Amino acid sequence: MLNEVVQTAINKQINHEFYSSYLYLAISAHFEYINLPGFAHWMHIQSKEETFHATKLFNYVNDRGGRVELEAIGKPATDFGSPLEAFEAALEHEQGVTKMIGELYALAVKENDYPSQVELQWFVQEQVEEEKTARTIIDQLKMIGDHGSALMILDRELAARQETVPVQ
Ligand code: MG
């Protein structure tokens, strides 16, 4: 059985992962609105990845015989400004997620919950990747500055992002 304290914390994380999915979907809509379809596509896939993260924890709680409790998902913003501002918001969000995952892992250690530690290790690694990806795109957007033609090239590149969520 899943320890009650860890269960409550994982349920909170499930909600936050769904919020991440909602946030990236909102950023995707923003990019559609400002006519950057490649950026919009990239964010849409990112949104699906976050739903996968939420579902991975959802399945984990169920597998441990725990009780999933779904809470209301917060409302994200509508306007995310320039592509650089939008990706800076994404990076800041991911840094917050990394902190949450770290706290969750520390709780699993404190509670001697070994299966949760193993489950959360995947998320610890995933956060390294999430932050790296956002940082790379931020750096490229800084190089681009206000060169519209370079921005169009990056838009084409981001349009090529493949679906990465495994079949569940
Ligand atoms: Mg996530």
Side-chain angles (χ1 to χ4, degrees):
M1 269 293 274
L2 192 55
N3 156 332
E4 190 96 21
V5 182
V6 176
Q7 177 177 290
T8 302
I10 295 179
N11 273 322
K12 199 171 152 224
Q13 191 64 39
I14 290 172
N15 180 266
H16 200 67
E17 297 294 338
F18 275 124
Y19 173 73
S20 298
S21 177
Y22 226 34
L23 173 67
Y24 289 125
L25 198 58
I27 300 177
S28 176
H30 170 74
F31 281 131
E32 287 285 357
Y33 186 73
I34 61 173
N35 289 313
L36 286 169
F39 279 82
H41 167 81
W42 193 96
M43 281 293 175
H44 202 161
I45 288 185
Q46 188 64 24
S47 170
K48 288 184 195 174
E49 265 205 16
E50 298 301 339
T51 301
F52 168 68
H53 295 169
T55 310
K56 192 171 178 353
L57 290 172
F58 173 94
N59 290 339
Y60 174 73
V61 171
N62 287 330
D63 288 349
R64 293 286 309 279
R67 186 71 141 161
V68 168
E69 195 173 342
L70 297 175
E71 299 282 350
I73 304 169
K75 182 185 187 302
T78 306
D79 190 343
F80 294 88
S82 69
L84 178 59
E85 285 167 338
F87 268 91
E88 279 172 340
L91 176 60
E92 198 183 320
H93 177 75
E94 288 304 329
Q95 286 165 338
V97 174
T98 300
K99 193 164 170 284
M100 285 182 81
I101 295 289
E103 286 165 359
L104 198 48
Y105 189 89
L107 182 67
V109 170
K110 184 170 162 269
E111 298 291 329
N112 294 322
D113 183 343
Y114 304 112
S116 292
Q117 289 173 38
V118 172
E119 176 69 15
L120 290 167
Q121 273 168 13
W122 184 90
F123 285 87
V124 170
Q125 265 190 320
E126 178 68 11
Q127 284 312 115
V128 173
E129 202 52 43
E130 298 285 33
E131 286 191 30
K132 179 190 165 194
T133 308
R135 265 201 317 271
T136 302
I137 297 173
I138 284 171
D139 287 349
Q140 289 175 350
L141 284 167
K142 282 179 180 168
M143 283 180 230
I144 287 170
D146 56 4
H147 296 281
S149 52
L151 186 65
M152 296 311 290
I153 292 169
L154 184 58
D155 189 63
R156 298 288 184 278
E157 200 181 300
L158 297 184
R161 183 176 181 182
Q162 304 283 321
E163 301 272 351
T164 46
V165 172
V167 177
Q168 294 164 70

